[in-house]
Amino acid sequence: MIKNLVLIIFLIFICLSIMLSSNIINGIERQVISRDKLSNSLTSDNYYFYVYGLHTCPHCRAMIKFLNETYGSEHLYFCDLNTNTTCYQKFIKLTNAGLPGYVPTVFIVYNCTVTAVLIGEYEDKSFINQFMKTNMNKTIPIYVAGQGYMGDLIIKDHMSFINTYLKYDGYCFMNNQAKWSTSVEVVKHYEISQLIVPLIILSLIDSVNPCTLTLYFSFIITLLATGRKVFGPSIVFILIIYAGYLAMGLGFKTIAQILPYKILLIIALILGIYYIIDAGRRYKREMECRLCNRLDITKRVIKNPYITAALLSLLSVTVLLPCTSGPLMIFASIIRDYPLYISIPALMIYNLFFITPLIIIWIITTLLNKKRAVTDFLIDKSAIIEFFSGIALILIALYYL
């Protein structure tokens, strides 16, 4: 009887041992599998592109197509601002923090760290591949197409930022109940090279100012007709125009910093419409300087051409130029956040382009003695140029709006 009892206990012990061994083995296998999964999740396949954009945006479509074809659709999440309210709200929070509000805005997430922000169309695999690495810093570089590096996105924690703004099922599993720190800050990097393209385009559009050009041309013609020297008074006129318009640009920049910058853009848009309407009234109209007639410029030139040059240029800066300063308003809106050590040189270069037509008129009328050529141009072409300037100004204002 005792032997049988011992035998039963022994068999039970063997069974329990087998079961326990099986569980231990299974546990070890599960651990190995978990480690394998973890290891796989940290390989080069653990990355994705989170794209904020609009399905109606051609640049967004082109960027999505490139990423799909280059990296695969499983590594891409498109957050449509048109149809997804949550996406729109998240994007607005990012733009309020200082991120430019342009689309597509592409976040590169690698090994559950955000490595770069690409704004615009970047169809360059070698450029993107340099960000396919773990980012151990809290700073994320921001690149804008056509401008290059523009600054850094500063975050407190990668996982919290991803959980708030870049969550994509299948990657970076997180506890949704956890309290995440979502502090975001954009530190911009400013270079004058970023302003070259808008500077040249806007300043050239702005330089075609029929009112000021007509006033200046009439002044030069009067100097020549009365036998006065042209060089000195012309230089005075141009320098005051340059200094006055530079001061106006700094004033617009200050306004753009105080008020919503879109106010200046809307005013510029209205001025663009005015250009088009005024061009229609001006077309084929006889060239006339009403201000010259009111001031009786001939008598004033005879008395003192330098004082006359100063008077006419000051009147131009205070009365005529503000009515046609739409391009300058747009440029002031662009540089509103730029420090003075960059914005002042940028405005100085802008004004060099702005006064170029005045210098050309001076050269043609005095050195080349082509008064008739300038007269015919101002009569026949200024209205056409003003019309196209108005269209360009409207398009640029709408773009920045």
Side-chain angles (χ1 to χ4, degrees):
M1 184 69 179
I2 296 175
K3 291 182 178 179
N4 293 334
L5 181 61
V6 172
L7 180 62
I8 292 172
I9 294 173
F10 179 72
L11 291 174
I12 292 173
F13 176 77
I14 292 175
C15 291
L16 290 173
S17 299
I18 293 172
M19 292 175 62
L20 181 61
S21 299
S22 176
N23 289 334
I24 292 173
I25 292 171
N26 289 335
I28 294 173
E29 288 179 349
R30 282 195 296 269
Q31 288 180 1
V32 171
I33 292 173
S34 298
R35 288 172 183 170
D36 288 341
K37 286 183 177 180
L38 179 60
S39 177
N40 289 334
S41 69
L42 296 177
T43 64
S44 59
D45 291 333
N46 189 29
Y47 67 88
Y48 64 94
F49 302 91
Y50 197 96
V51 183
Y52 284 100
L54 304 169
H55 67 273
T56 55
C57 165
H59 295 290
C60 298
R61 293 198 299 268
M63 190 65 187
I64 291 169
K65 181 181 178 182
F66 170 77
L67 293 175
N68 269 329
E69 294 176 351
T70 308
Y71 299 97
S73 59
E74 69 276 11
H75 295 292
L76 174 67
Y77 183 84
F78 178 59
C79 207
D80 194 340
L81 304 180
N82 266 343
T83 59
N84 192 320
T85 304
T86 302
C87 288
Y88 177 78
Q89 292 172 346
K90 291 190 296 184
F91 189 68
I92 291 299
K93 288 182 180 179
L94 291 172
T95 57
N96 288 339
L99 200 68
Y102 308 134
V103 291
T105 294
V106 182
F107 288 85
I108 302 176
V109 180
Y110 190 92
N111 281 352
C112 297
T113 63
V114 188
T115 62
V117 184
L118 309 181
I119 300 175
E121 192 175 337
Y122 276 93
E123 297 188 27
D124 187 342
K125 184 178 180 180
S126 60
F127 177 77
I128 293 176
N129 282 347
Q130 66 179 306
F131 304 112
M132 306 298 278
K133 58 185 178 181
T134 305
N135 181 14
M136 303 305 294
N137 301 316
K138 301 298 176 64
T139 58
I140 305 164
I142 305 170
Y143 291 85
V144 179
Q147 298 181 21
Y149 173 67
M150 68 146 283
D152 295 299
L153 181 67
I154 311 298
I155 61 175
K156 284 191 174 181
D157 179 76
H158 283 275
M159 293 298 284
S160 61
F161 183 80
I162 292 171
N163 187 62
T164 305
Y165 296 103
L166 312 175
K167 191 173 181 180
Y168 182 19
D169 292 340
Y171 295 92
C172 304
F173 299 101
M174 291 162 284
N175 180 9
N176 293 330
Q177 302 301 320
K179 293 183 179 180
W180 299 101
S181 175
T182 58
S183 174
V184 179
E185 179 186 359
V186 174
V187 178
K188 294 185 178 180
H189 171 75
Y190 297 103
E191 287 184 359
I192 197 169
S193 59
Q194 300 168 346
L195 302 171
I196 294 299
V197 173
L199 185 154
I200 294 176
I201 293 175
L202 290 168
S203 61
L204 290 178
I205 293 174
D206 202 4
S207 66
V208 184
N209 190 300
C211 295
T212 300
L213 293 179
T214 301
L215 176 65
Y216 179 65
F217 178 70
S218 300
F219 175 61
I220 289 182
I221 294 300
T222 305
L223 287 173
L224 293 172
T226 55
R228 311 294 290 189
K229 291 183 178 180
V230 175
F231 182 79
S234 298
I235 294 299
V236 170
F237 186 99
I238 293 174
L239 288 178
I240 292 178
I241 291 291
Y242 181 90
Y245 214 52
L246 177 63
M248 190 183 301
L250 290 173
F252 286 152
K253 170 182 164 62
T254 303
I255 293 173
Q257 290 174 324
I258 298 174
L259 300 176
Y261 75 96
K262 290 186 178 181
I263 292 178
L264 286 182
L265 295 178
I266 292 173
I267 295 174
L269 181 64
I270 295 172
L271 287 177
I273 297 172
Y274 170 77
Y275 286 2
I276 296 175
I277 296 173
D278 188 61
R281 294 187 309 212
R282 181 187 299 277
Y283 188 67
K284 288 295 183 182
R285 186 173 67 197
E286 288 297 322
M287 187 178 67
E288 180 184 7
C289 178
R290 296 179 181 177
L291 186 59
C292 298
N293 296 334
R294 291 177 184 176
L295 294 175
D296 199 356
I297 188 174
T298 303
K299 291 182 179 179
R300 292 182 179 275
V301 164
I302 293 174
K303 289 181 179 180
N304 195 317
Y306 288 94
I307 294 179
T308 305
L311 177 63
L312 291 177
S313 55
L314 287 172
L315 286 172
S316 181
V317 168
T318 56
V319 178
L320 300 179
L321 291 181
C323 299
T324 56
S325 56
L328 183 62
M329 291 181 183
I330 295 178
F331 189 68
S333 300
I334 295 173
I335 64 173
R336 69 189 184 279
D337 295 327
Y338 280 70
L340 288 177
Y341 69 85
I342 290 181
S343 55
I344 290 179
L347 284 170
M348 293 176 69
I349 298 172
Y350 182 101
N351 277 273
L352 285 177
F353 282 99
F354 178 75
I355 64 173
T356 298
L358 300 178
I359 297 173
I360 292 174
I361 288 177
W362 176 78
I363 292 173
I364 293 175
T365 53
T366 58
L367 299 183
L368 302 180
N369 197 24
K370 299 288 185 180
K371 303 177 196 175
R372 187 64 189 173
V374 175
T375 303
D376 291 342
F377 179 83
L378 289 177
I379 293 175
D380 297 335
K381 302 296 189 299
S382 63
I384 297 174
I385 295 175
E386 185 181 18
F387 175 78
F388 285 107
S389 297
I391 292 177
L393 184 59
I394 290 173
L395 293 176
I396 294 172
L398 289 175
Y399 172 79
Y400 282 103
L401 280 172

